[in-house]
Amino acid sequence: MTNLLILLGLTPEIRNQYRDRLQARFPDVAVTLVDHPAKVGPHIATADVLVTFTPMMTAKVLEQAQNLKWIQTLGTGVDNLIDQPLLRQDTIVTNVRGIHGPPVSEAALASMLALARNLPGAVRGQDAHEWRRWPAQLLHDKTVGIFGVGLIAEALAPKCKALGMTVVGVSSAPRPVAGFDRMHSRDELLQVVGDFDFFVLLTPLTPATRNSIDAKLLGAMKPSSFLINLARGGVVDEPALVEALREKRIAGAALDVFNQEPLPADHAFWSMQNVIITTHQGGFCDVYIDYALPTVETNMRCFLNGDIGGMINVVPH
């Protein structure tokens, strides 16, 4: 019998849905669910398959995974998995991609609108029972720069155009894409970032993009501009961003991802009134399981039938 271990730190109601739906679809598979990496001990050594999000992947989990043949991640990013030395070369890694356009593009729009209208300031006024008013900034006629032009950016660009924005893409492989007014290479970012009123990060974390949003680049942004990070925390030099925000060299930031997650309680970002913090929520939505499970189920059928070549979204490592 194939042993499937599901490692999810979500609410019981949500993680139980993954277990129950996979168990119903594959009744001959032994399905076990745990909610924390520290709880895998009794199960991981005999697990053939692991379904999880990569932030849950610790070295300890991989060290104990003596029988593991396949890891199915429930997100797109695999930077906390394929770079781990304990990951065996013969372990298949698959991810879920192509489903994040709607939720992450909406998260980007929500972030831009919240920053432009200072919605955190309105909530603080509500908490203090104070009537506060200020002129809201518009997205209309503003320029948004999108760093990382993949499926999410392709979903975001037309939505920005519908709001009357100029949309500029920055990509390692510039190409014409619907909804973009112009496209630049990554090497041109320093020269064009000063044109952006909103700078949205969607690029994968790679050696080339790690800390690419550094003090020099932040210094080239307009003082009135906003940074939105929905990519990975490692793309941004966080100490440089803290300094730029403190000195008001940029107007503010909406941050969904961080170098360390959960974000430490003493981190400077928490107390900055020009920062909006969300807890790696960009792609997380009410129908995420409906978006993700078709990939998992397709791969499980192939795996059980010995059709490894038919598995989709295989990540080389």
Side-chain angles (χ1 to χ4, degrees):
M1 176 176 284
T2 298
N3 294 313
L4 165 62
L5 176 61
I6 302 174
L7 171 58
L8 290 178
L10 306 172
T11 64
E13 179 185 9
I14 294 174
R15 62 178 179 258
N16 289 345
Q17 287 184 50
Y18 283 88
R19 178 198 61 201
D20 295 345
R21 288 171 65 165
L22 286 171
Q23 185 67 86
R25 190 62 60 94
F26 304 100
D28 294 331
V29 172
V31 181
T32 304
L33 170 66
V34 295
D35 63 359
H36 193 277
K39 298 181 181 179
V40 303
H43 316 288
I44 190 65
T46 57
D48 301 291
V49 182
L50 176 64
V51 173
T52 189
F53 285 99
T54 53
M56 305 288 282
M57 290 301 302
T58 65
K60 190 71 172 175
V61 171
L62 286 172
E63 183 181 16
Q64 299 175 83
Q66 303 301 315
N67 193 52
L68 198 60
K69 302 174 182 65
W70 164 38
I71 300 172
Q72 171 71 64
T73 75
L74 293 170
T76 302
V78 292
D79 45 276
N80 190 50
L81 174 56
I82 61 171
D83 53 359
Q84 293 214 31
L86 291 174
L87 177 65
R88 298 197 317 270
Q89 287 299 306
D90 61 347
T91 301
I92 303 164
V93 175
T94 55
N95 67 357
V96 173
R97 62 175 181 265
I99 68 170
H100 296 89
V104 180
S105 63
E106 290 188 19
L109 288 177
S111 296
M112 288 191 285
L113 287 165
L115 288 166
R117 293 186 168 268
N118 190 16
L119 293 185
V123 173
R124 292 186 184 103
Q126 180 179 347
D127 289 342
H129 296 198
E130 294 179 0
W131 185 266
R132 303 173 183 173
R133 301 184 73 231
W134 53 82
Q137 297 185 45
L138 297 182
L139 300 191
H140 183 76
D141 280 341
K142 298 297 195 306
T143 296
V144 56
I146 303 174
F147 181 27
V149 183
L151 293 174
I152 297 171
E154 291 175 8
L156 174 59
K159 294 172 182 174
C160 293
K161 290 299 294 179
L163 292 170
M165 304 185 79
T166 297
V167 184
V168 180
V170 179
S171 173
S172 59
R175 64 199 186 281
V177 177
F180 285 84
D181 293 283
R182 64 181 192 271
M183 196 75 67
H184 295 275
S185 70
R186 192 165 61 204
D187 294 339
E188 299 175 286
L189 180 55
L190 187 63
Q191 287 71 49
V192 301
V193 73
D195 298 336
F196 305 158
D197 299 293
F198 298 88
F199 185 23
V200 180
L201 307 182
L202 297 175
T203 187
L205 178 62
T206 67
T209 62
R210 184 175 291 278
N211 288 330
S212 56
I213 311 304
D214 57 12
K216 186 176 183 180
L217 192 76
L218 292 165
M221 293 175 66
K222 294 191 290 190
S224 59
S225 62
F226 297 102
L227 178 73
I228 296 98
N229 189 7
L230 290 159
R232 283 289 187 268
V235 172
V236 176
D237 180 340
E238 285 189 356
L241 179 57
V242 168
E243 184 177 354
L245 290 163
R246 278 179 173 159
E247 297 181 359
K248 293 184 169 52
R249 285 188 271 116
I250 64 172
L255 306 174
D256 187 57
V257 287
F258 306 90
N259 280 326
Q260 182 180 344
E261 296 181 3
L263 185 66
D266 60 351
H267 198 287
F269 286 147
W270 286 112
S271 58
M272 290 183 159
Q273 295 201 359
N274 57 348
V275 173
I276 297 173
I277 290 173
T278 49
T279 54
H280 207 140
Q281 291 273 103
F284 194 34
C285 61
D286 55 346
V287 292
Y288 193 89
I289 188 171
D290 299 315
Y291 285 3
L293 277 189
T295 295
V296 181
E297 292 170 358
T298 295
N299 283 339
M300 181 62 78
R301 281 192 293 270
C302 290
F303 180 81
L304 294 175
N305 291 330
D307 181 18
I308 304 304
M311 296 176 74
I312 60 175
N313 296 356
V314 176
V315 180
H317 63 93

